[in-house]
Amino acid sequence: MQKVKIPRTVDPTRAAQKRLDFDGIIQVSLFKRLTESVEGVKRDAQVSLSFDLDEQRLVVISGKANIEVGLECQRCNEVFAHESEVHFTYTPYRGEKTEEEAPEEYDLVDLNEYGEVDLIQLVEDEFILNLPQIAMHDEADCSVDSDNMVFGEIPEEIVEEKPNPFDVLKSLKK
């Protein structure tokens, strides 16, 4: 099957009634917020989406996506490649009633003013949420050896006696 560009927006109800499946790519240039969050996006995102109706007749958007981004290691400050793969299941949010009826395994997604879901934003949000809180190489790949790291108290020879910045206030008190 040929990979195509994923549409920007889609009406989830119509897509679910037709049981549409999308298998394609989302270009790097469309991920503005993700690009700002990482050191670089290496390639287009590979995305698979399925629209269906569940037993409760709720619209279900399920899918998976993967992308490769560059992250800065917090130990050695070098950029490394990180493969991010996400799986998600959504149902459109239509008010308080939907929130009560929706099973826990579904996340809720807002519709725009035309009753459509922005698929690009949905996938981008998943990638941003999947980024590690503290990006680091594996210890074997990192240029900083764990033996060189200092934990706990700082050794006396490293600590310099710095003047107290509040000593200036003492002269004003007089």
Side-chain angles (χ1 to χ4, degrees):
M1 182 148 97
Q2 182 182 359
K3 296 263 185 191
V4 296
K5 290 182 185 176
I6 299 292
R8 180 122 185 114
T9 60
V10 68
D11 182 338
T13 306
R14 283 191 198 149
Q17 289 169 346
K18 294 178 183 179
R19 299 196 188 304
L20 290 181
D21 292 326
F22 294 106
D23 189 22
I25 62 168
I26 298 176
Q27 295 174 319
V28 172
S29 61
L30 297 174
F31 292 134
K32 303 257 188 283
R33 292 177 299 134
L34 179 64
T35 304
E36 292 171 1
S37 303
V38 297
E39 295 299 314
V41 181
K42 307 287 186 193
R43 62 173 168 78
D44 294 339
Q46 308 293 322
V47 181
S48 296
L49 294 166
S50 296
F51 294 83
D52 206 354
L53 296 172
D54 69 358
E55 297 82 27
Q56 296 179 357
R57 306 294 295 161
L58 288 173
V59 173
V60 178
I61 306 166
S62 59
K64 63 181 180 176
N66 67 56
I67 197 167
E68 188 175 337
V69 296
L71 298 176
E72 183 178 349
C73 178
Q74 298 300 303
R75 268 193 295 246
C76 66
N77 295 330
E78 292 178 10
V79 177
F80 68 98
H82 174 72
E83 183 83 22
S84 179
E85 183 157 339
V86 295
H87 297 271
F88 48 87
T89 307
Y90 285 98
T91 190
Y93 178 74
R94 300 187 193 278
E96 291 179 22
K97 189 176 180 186
T98 307
E99 192 171 335
E100 295 167 3
E101 291 177 355
E104 283 184 25
E105 52 272 357
Y106 297 163
D107 289 323
L108 298 176
V109 64
D110 289 327
L111 302 175
N112 65 13
E113 60 269 11
Y114 306 111
E116 296 179 335
V117 173
D118 187 340
L119 298 177
I120 310 298
Q121 182 180 347
L122 183 130
V123 172
E124 185 178 29
D125 288 346
E126 285 295 323
F127 284 139
I128 291 171
L129 289 171
N130 193 46
L131 290 175
Q133 285 185 346
I134 301 172
M136 287 189 283
H137 287 107
D138 290 332
E139 280 195 42
D141 298 333
C142 196
S143 63
V144 175
D145 190 14
S146 62
D147 295 336
N148 294 339
M149 291 190 250
V150 178
F151 298 98
E153 300 212 10
I154 299 174
E156 298 268 337
E157 58 269 5
I158 296 176
V159 178
E160 298 175 15
E161 192 61 41
K162 295 182 180 176
N164 186 347
F166 295 105
D167 285 341
V168 175
L169 295 175
K170 288 181 183 176
S171 65
L172 295 175
K173 189 177 177 182
K174 295 178 183 179

